[in-house]
Amino acid sequence: MTTTTKTTAPAPTGGTLPLPPGIARLLAFGGAAGTLLSTFLSWTYTEEFPGNLTVYGYPGGLQLLTLTGALLTLAFLLSGQGLRGLRWLTPGGPNSAVRLLALGTLGVTGYTIGAIIKNLGGLINVDPGGYIAVTMALIGAVGALGLPSDVPQDADHPPANPWEQLVHSLKAPAPGRLKDHPGWVEILIISTAFALGLYLFTFGIDTDYPELFVGFMVLVAFLFPALGRAGLTGQLGQLTAKHRNVTVTAAFVAAFVFPFTQSNDAYATIGTNILIFATVALGLNVVVGLAGLLDLGYVAFLGVGAYTAALVSGAPTSSIGVTFPFWAAVLTGAVASLIFGVLIGAPTLRLRGDYLAIVTLGFGEIFRIGVQNLDGTSGPDITNGPNGIPNIPEVEILGFNLGEEHTILGFELGRFSNYFLLMLVCTIIVVTIFRRADQSRIGRAWVAIREDETAARAMGINAFRLKLLAFALGATLAGVAGTVQAHVQYTVTPEQYQFVEAVPPNSAFLLAAVILGGMGTVSGPLIGAALLYLIPAKLQFVQEYQLLLFGLALVLLMRFRPEGLIADRRKQLEFHDTGQLDVPKEDTGLNDKVGV
C-alpha cells in the first residue's frame, strides 16, 4: 500500500497594508516622483537654516539627500517592472528594497522639516514646498508598504499581526547564482563598489553641519539594508569571495586615496583616529572573535604601547632619556605589550566566561591606576603620574618628517594626512597577520575553542596554550597601534585608557566595535570602529546623551541583527532560521520506499 503526500506550495503574500498591487505600485511611483520634484521647491523662506533651502529649481543641503532617496526608489521600482538597463539592480526582488528606500526617504524628509521647525522656531518657517515634500514622501511610503512581498509566506504559519507582516515583507530572498562575467568586468565591479564606498565615507566626514550628517546617517541606515534585500550585496559578496586579493587591494587603494580627497586637515584627523581605533579593534577581534575570550581591559595594551613609545622616543619629560628611531620604538612597544599580555594571560586564562571578563576588567583599571601612581610620590618616577608624558616628538622616516606639510603629486598633505598614511601601513600589516592567523591551523583551533572548549580539549587541542597565544597576539597588535597613537596625540595620560570614556578608543567601545561589525571577520571590526568613532565625532551637540544613544543603538542591533553588520556564514546560521527543519513535520515519502 502506498500513500501520497500532498505538498503545499508557499502562498504569495500581499504587502503590510491591504492595498491592491496596482494601486500600491501607483502610489509608490507617484509619491517618489512627487518627492523628487518637491526638492526643486523652497522648503523655508530664510537662509538661517544651513544648506540654503530657499532656492527654487536648485536643491541644496538636506534636499539633496531627499532627492537621492527618491531617485533610488524610482530606479528600484522601474527595475521591478523589468525596465531594460535596470534589471541588474534587483537580482533578489525589488519590493523589499523599495519599501526600505521609501521609508528612508520619508525619514530624511520628515527629519529635515522637523529640524527647520525646531531650529527656526515653529511651523511658520516651513514653505509650501516642505509640506508637499512630506506629503508626497508619506504617499510613497504607504504605496511601498502595500507592495507584495518578494518572499512567499508559509501557508501553515502566516504572520500573526501587522508587525510580523512588515518583518516578513522586508526579508530578502536568495540573490541567486552569480552570472558569469569576464574577469575584468568582475574586477571593475569590485573597484566601482569600493569607489562608491569611499565617496560615501568622504561625504560623511566632510559634512559641514550636524543636521546634514544626521540626515545622511538616516538615509544610509535604510540604503544598505535595501541593497541587501535587493540581492546586490549578496552578489557583491560572491564576487569578493571569488577575488579575495583584488578585494583587499581595492579596499586599501580606496583608503590610500582618502587623504588626497581632503582639503581640511581636521577631517583627516578623524580618518587617522578611525584607523587607530579600527586597528585596535581588529586586534581585539583575535581575542574575542576568534578565540572567544571576553576581554574588558584590552585598552590597557594600547596604553602599554603608547607609554613605551613615549618613553623611548626622546620626549623631554621621559624618565629614560633615550631616543629610538621610529621602527625601534614600534618594536619596543609591541614587545612590551606582548610581555604584558603573557604576564596577565598566564595566571588568568584558566578562568572562563564571566570570571575572565571580571579579571580582565580589573587589569585594565590596575594599569590606569598604576601609571597614574608612578609619579615619584606614590611610586617610582616613570610615567609622570596624572600629567602623563607630553611633547612627544614627531615621527621621522628616512628624513621625512610627518609633522610637516608635504606636496605629493600636486596635493598638499598636512600632518594628520601623513599620519593617516603611516597608520594605513600599520593596518595593512595587522590585517595580513589576522588573515594568516584565521586561515591557519591555529585559527581553526581558536574557533574550535570558541565554539566548545570542552569538545576542543577532547580532540587533543591544548586550549590554555592557544588561548595564551591569542591573548599575546592581540596585545601585540594593540601595542603597535599604541606607538602611532602616542605620536599622533603628542601626549599620553592615564585618562585616555579608561573602561568607558567620552571619546573612543576605550575598552567598552572596542568591544562594541567588534560585536557591531561582526566577530571573527576582517571588515566587520573596521566598519564597526569607523561608525563608533565617526558618529560621536560629528554629533558633538548630543555629547551629553552619547551613552544613552549608544545603549539604544546596541539594543536595536542585538534585536534585529545580532550577528553584526558583516557576519560570517557560521554566525548567520547561528542567529537566524535557515528554513531547515530539525524534525520532518510531514511524511517525507520514506514509507513508500519500505512498502508500507
Side-chain angles (χ1 to χ4, degrees):
M1 177 179 179
T2 59
T3 60
T4 59
T5 303
K6 183 179 180 180
T7 58
T8 303
T13 178
T16 306
L17 299 180
L19 294 174
I23 299 297
R25 191 166 289 106
L26 181 62
L27 290 176
F29 267 111
T35 306
L36 188 151
L37 293 176
S38 71
T39 61
F40 293 88
L41 303 176
S42 171
W43 287 10
T44 180
Y45 66 87
T46 175
E47 295 183 9
E48 292 182 13
F49 189 81
N52 192 9
L53 310 185
T54 65
V55 181
Y56 284 88
Y58 190 80
L62 284 160
Q63 287 176 325
L64 292 174
L65 298 178
T66 297
L67 175 65
T68 302
L71 277 174
L72 289 172
T73 304
L74 286 173
F76 278 78
L77 278 168
L78 293 172
S79 173
Q81 295 301 305
L83 183 66
R84 185 180 298 274
L86 291 178
R87 296 175 185 173
W88 60 271
L89 278 175
T90 55
N95 292 341
S96 294
V98 169
R99 204 168 281 116
L100 283 166
L101 288 170
L103 291 173
T105 304
L106 176 62
V108 171
T109 307
Y111 167 76
T112 303
I113 301 304
I116 291 174
I117 295 171
K118 180 181 182 300
N119 290 5
L120 302 182
L123 287 167
I124 190 65
N125 298 284
V126 181
D127 274 355
Y131 293 110
I132 293 174
V134 171
T135 303
M136 299 308 296
L138 182 59
I139 292 174
V142 169
L145 290 174
L147 293 174
S149 175
D150 295 319
V151 182
Q153 71 181 29
D154 187 352
D156 296 328
H157 301 282
N161 52 59
W163 172 252
E164 290 187 5
Q165 182 71 36
L166 176 61
V167 172
H168 174 79
S169 69
L170 293 176
K171 288 183 178 180
R177 182 179 178 274
L178 185 66
K179 295 182 179 179
D180 292 329
H181 296 287
W184 67 270
V185 173
E186 296 178 343
I187 293 174
L188 180 61
I189 293 173
I190 294 173
S191 303
T192 303
F194 278 100
L196 291 174
L198 173 64
Y199 175 78
L200 286 176
F201 180 72
T202 303
F203 183 91
I205 283 186
D206 291 349
T207 49
D208 296 326
Y209 46 95
E211 292 84 0
L212 182 60
F213 180 77
V214 173
F216 169 75
M217 291 303 298
V218 170
L219 183 59
V220 168
F222 285 92
L223 173 61
F224 279 100
L227 297 178
R229 299 299 185 267
L232 284 176
T233 55
Q235 293 211 342
L236 181 62
Q238 295 178 39
L239 278 180
T240 55
K242 183 178 179 181
H243 303 280
R244 290 185 181 275
N245 293 331
V246 172
T247 301
V248 174
T249 303
F252 283 110
V253 167
F256 176 80
V257 172
F258 167 75
F260 296 94
T261 66
Q262 301 301 302
S263 58
N264 188 342
D265 206 37
Y267 297 144
T269 306
I270 298 176
T272 303
N273 288 323
I274 285 175
L275 272 186
I276 294 173
F277 189 16
T279 304
V280 181
L282 195 58
L284 179 60
N285 198 25
V286 175
V287 180
V288 176
L290 295 184
L293 306 175
L294 185 56
D295 188 349
L296 298 182
Y298 186 74
V299 74
F301 299 122
L302 176 70
V304 171
Y307 265 97
T308 302
L311 289 171
V312 302
S313 295
T317 56
S318 171
S319 59
I320 297 180
V322 297
T323 303
F324 286 2
F326 176 70
W327 63 268
V330 170
L331 292 178
T332 306
V335 171
S337 298
L338 170 64
I339 293 173
F340 270 83
V342 173
L343 291 178
I344 298 301
T348 61
L349 287 178
R350 298 187 186 278
L351 301 174
R352 298 189 192 181
D354 299 338
Y355 301 101
L356 177 62
I358 292 172
V359 169
T360 54
L361 175 61
F363 162 66
E365 288 301 297
I366 289 171
F367 168 78
R368 182 181 63 83
I369 296 172
V371 295
Q372 187 170 338
N373 289 337
L374 296 178
D375 58 355
T377 302
S378 302
D381 186 9
I382 299 177
T383 63
N384 204 22
N387 295 323
I389 303 176
N391 301 322
I392 300 173
E394 303 284 5
V395 173
E396 286 195 18
I397 300 176
L398 301 176
F400 190 87
N401 191 319
L402 300 189
E404 300 175 355
E405 290 189 358
H406 298 276
T407 301
I408 299 178
L409 301 176
F411 294 90
E412 291 289 338
L413 297 184
R415 177 178 185 271
F416 286 102
S417 295
N418 297 330
Y419 278 105
F420 178 90
L421 296 176
L422 173 64
M423 196 61 221
L424 182 60
V425 174
C426 295
T427 305
I428 293 174
I429 295 173
V430 171
V431 168
T432 302
I433 293 174
F434 182 90
R435 290 185 64 197
R436 294 290 185 181
D438 183 25
Q439 297 169 4
S440 66
R441 294 177 59 189
I442 294 176
R444 292 192 292 272
W446 283 335
V447 172
I449 293 172
R450 182 191 70 192
E451 297 300 323
D452 192 328
E453 183 174 342
T454 302
R457 290 177 182 273
M459 295 299 294
I461 294 176
N462 190 329
F464 173 75
R465 185 176 65 184
L466 287 172
K467 288 194 294 184
L468 184 60
L469 179 60
F471 216 69
L473 178 59
T476 304
L477 299 181
V480 172
T483 58
V484 180
Q485 184 200 39
H487 291 279
V488 169
Q489 297 185 351
Y490 284 123
T491 182
V492 290
T493 59
E495 287 74 18
Q496 296 174 342
Y497 308 105
Q498 301 179 25
F499 175 71
V500 177
E501 189 187 3
V503 179
N506 54 67
S507 291
F509 273 74
L510 286 169
L511 184 60
V514 174
I515 297 174
L516 170 66
M519 293 188 297
T521 64
V522 175
S523 56
L526 300 179
I527 294 175
L531 290 175
L532 289 182
Y533 191 93
L534 179 61
I535 293 175
K538 301 297 290 187
L539 298 182
Q540 294 292 337
F541 67 98
V542 294
Q543 187 170 6
E544 296 180 0
Y545 306 100
Q546 264 188 26
L547 291 179
L548 172 63
L549 297 176
F550 175 65
L552 290 175
L554 285 183
V555 170
L556 293 174
L557 177 71
M558 293 298 102
R559 169 60 182 85
F560 294 105
R561 195 168 177 83
E563 73 273 20
L565 297 177
I566 307 294
D568 59 12
R569 182 62 176 165
R570 183 182 289 107
K571 289 298 180 183
Q572 290 176 343
L573 295 175
E574 179 180 349
F575 287 107
H576 293 285
D577 182 14
T578 62
Q580 298 178 353
L581 298 175
D582 295 331
V583 179
K585 64 179 180 179
E586 291 185 2
D587 184 7
T588 60
L590 181 61
N591 293 336
D592 296 346
K593 297 180 180 180
V594 297
V596 178

